[in-house]
Amino acid sequence: MKVNRRTAAAITAGGVILATTLAGCSAADDGNDGDAQTDASSSLTVWVDANRIEEMQEIAAKFEEDRGIAVELVEKEYGDVMRNDFIQQVPTGEGPDVMVGGHDWLGQLVQNGVVAPLELGDTVNDFSDVGVRAMSYEGVTYGLPVSLENIALVRNTALADSTPANWDELIAAGQEVVASGAAQYPVLVPSDPVDSDPYHLYPIQTSYGAPLFGISEDGSYDPDQLLIGSEGGNEFAAKLVEWGADGVINTSITGDIARDEFAAGKSPYMLSGPWNLPAFQEAGIDYAIEAIPQAGPEAPTPFVGVQGFFVSSESDNALAANEFVVNYLGSEEAQLTLYEAGGRPPARISAFEIAAADNPDVGAFGEVGLTGVPMPAIPEMGAVWDNWGSTQSALVNGTAGDPTDAWQAMSGRIQAAIDG
């Protein structure tokens, strides 16, 4: 497959544009022009997790062959360890040139000045909009999106031969299956006794017109527009009370319990991510993966998590690092290679189409993800989760009092926490 990149530019965190007409050193033409305007004696250090390091070797070898620049892959534990080590080591000059990571790290990385902007140029159109938005902060793109992950509706096809068009009808259909004795739960929604599960409930909440934040002109989340307390939120809060009283949503049904009960054939529907599919397959469940039905007047928008690659703001080889990220990790071949490593839908559109044809489950989850929104990576989210989850849990459990009062009080607490 042909690498299809044309330009890339590197910009330091200090705002100095590193010059760069990388058209001459791009892999766009044939990937072998050997004309990189980079220091051939330099090398790159890339932090990558164990699940992808083997596949990354192939991509790194291709870069070294084309550009004469060695890439040292360093295996790091994915998650807090990698992110925190990056934040601590980059300012000292000890960190890597490139790191794999989740888009939800971005706000912290930018605030600490350890990640450099990434100019995708025209190639931005090669990637899904939700992927690029996720890798952007205050209108600036900082990362190369690689894969998407989100929830969808999973249907047990032996218990339900179709999915109704709206959420209330889905509940009614599920209750009919329960009444027939074929199932125990009309629908399974993972939760937590104390903190509910705002992540799984978000598409339902947004369907009632109560997103967390408004959107700025540059497409980023605007923390000055807290919308969770809008009128639609009051209606959603009332529905949580109703669903809790009817046993449709139960805060005792944790993620593990929901997975195991669905795998045991005890519900026709479940809100789930792809991480549960191995359990369903092992249990012999025949399933379909579909869009989450609309609950309120608006289309549901599930959260989408995006993984990708970031360039260090202190990289001594910024040009080479940017070219490796944009032209090589962003190529169709690389995105498919990394897809094979983790099974997540690729962020590059052409690679996603190939992956979807290869694996219908990936295609189905990916199609739902394309309708979603990036989970906010802004620091203000730190003021959101606890108030949000505990209020949802109290509403479901019937202990919150008047749902509108409870929802508005929650919104007020979040706003006060944001205001400091």
Side-chain angles (χ1 to χ4, degrees):
M1 300 173 191
K2 184 179 179 181
V3 176
N4 185 20
R5 298 265 81 83
R6 293 198 297 271
T7 59
I11 305 173
T12 68
V16 179
I17 298 177
L18 292 176
T20 136
T21 305
L22 282 178
C25 59
S26 168
D29 299 330
D30 59 15
N32 289 294
D33 60 20
D35 191 29
Q37 301 300 307
T38 52
D39 181 357
S41 65
S42 64
S43 63
L44 297 177
T45 299
V46 179
W47 284 0
V48 64
D49 56 298
N51 293 333
R52 281 172 277 218
I53 195 165
E54 182 176 345
E55 288 73 14
M56 285 284 293
Q57 290 172 356
E58 177 183 335
I59 304 167
K62 174 67 173 170
F63 183 74
E64 183 170 357
E65 178 185 352
D66 290 349
R67 304 302 176 200
I69 300 172
V71 177
E72 180 188 5
L73 300 176
V74 178
E75 183 178 321
K76 295 280 289 186
E77 179 182 346
Y78 187 84
D80 293 345
V81 171
M82 185 184 294
R83 180 191 57 202
N84 293 338
D85 283 356
F86 189 81
I87 291 172
Q88 292 170 5
Q89 294 187 24
V90 164
T92 70
E94 299 296 322
D97 300 285
V98 176
M99 173 186 70
V100 70
H103 89 274
D104 55 325
W105 302 359
L106 187 52
Q108 193 174 4
L109 297 178
V110 173
Q111 285 200 323
N112 283 277
V114 295
V115 62
L118 196 69
E119 179 56 59
L120 294 176
D122 292 342
T123 63
V124 68
N125 297 319
D126 293 340
F127 297 90
S128 59
D129 178 67
V130 68
V132 175
R133 283 187 59 200
M135 286 295 174
S136 301
Y137 188 85
E138 295 183 343
V140 178
T141 302
Y142 287 92
L144 187 286
V146 170
S147 62
L148 314 179
E149 193 166 68
N150 53 273
I151 64 169
L153 181 76
V154 182
R155 172 168 56 91
N156 183 327
T157 58
L159 295 176
D161 58 10
S162 65
T163 295
N166 71 62
W167 185 251
D168 283 342
E169 291 177 358
L170 177 145
I171 292 173
Q175 289 171 329
E176 287 184 11
V177 179
V178 172
S180 73
Q184 185 174 341
Y185 311 96
V187 58
L188 286 164
V189 180
S191 188
D192 178 272
V194 176
D195 295 322
S196 182
D197 193 328
Y199 174 81
H200 279 86
L201 287 171
Y202 194 64
I204 308 300
Q205 178 179 317
T206 56
S207 187
Y208 281 100
L212 276 176
F213 298 106
I215 304 297
S216 301
E217 292 183 1
D218 60 18
S220 61
Y221 286 109
D222 182 358
D224 292 332
Q225 298 183 54
L226 183 66
L227 301 182
I228 194 171
S230 58
E231 181 62 29
N234 298 335
E235 188 174 356
F236 174 65
K239 281 291 188 180
L240 288 178
V241 174
E242 175 186 326
W243 295 330
D246 292 344
V248 174
I249 298 178
N250 185 333
T251 60
S252 296
I253 303 295
T254 64
D256 288 348
I257 292 173
R259 177 201 61 209
D260 293 346
E261 294 294 80
F262 190 83
K266 295 183 180 180
S267 179
Y269 305 108
M270 178 179 172
L271 296 185
S272 174
W275 46 85
N276 286 326
L277 292 186
F280 303 158
Q281 293 161 353
E282 184 176 348
I285 296 292
D286 291 327
Y287 58 82
I289 300 164
E290 300 167 328
I292 298 169
Q294 188 163 326
E298 301 182 17
T301 54
F303 279 140
V304 179
V306 178
Q307 292 190 355
F309 288 88
F310 303 103
V311 174
S312 164
S313 61
E314 300 297 328
S315 171
D316 291 333
N317 305 303
L319 278 176
N322 276 265
E323 186 182 7
F324 178 63
V325 170
V326 177
N327 293 349
Y328 285 76
L329 294 172
S331 73
E332 184 177 281
E333 299 102 310
Q335 297 253 318
L336 286 171
T337 298
L338 293 170
Y339 151 70
E340 291 168 0
R344 299 181 180 88
R348 184 176 172 117
I349 297 170
S350 62
F352 168 67
E353 291 171 347
I354 294 171
D358 172 67
N359 186 328
D361 289 349
V362 169
F365 270 109
E367 289 292 342
V368 176
L370 294 177
T371 69
V373 295
M375 183 183 294
I378 56 179
E380 287 77 7
M381 284 299 291
V384 171
W385 288 113
D386 288 346
N387 282 303
W388 194 13
S390 62
T391 299
Q392 287 190 348
S393 187
L395 288 164
V396 171
N397 292 327
T399 60
D402 180 81
T404 295
D405 290 346
W407 196 259
Q408 292 305 312
M410 172 202 69
S411 178
R413 291 194 299 274
I414 293 173
Q415 186 65 66
I418 291 175
D419 294 341

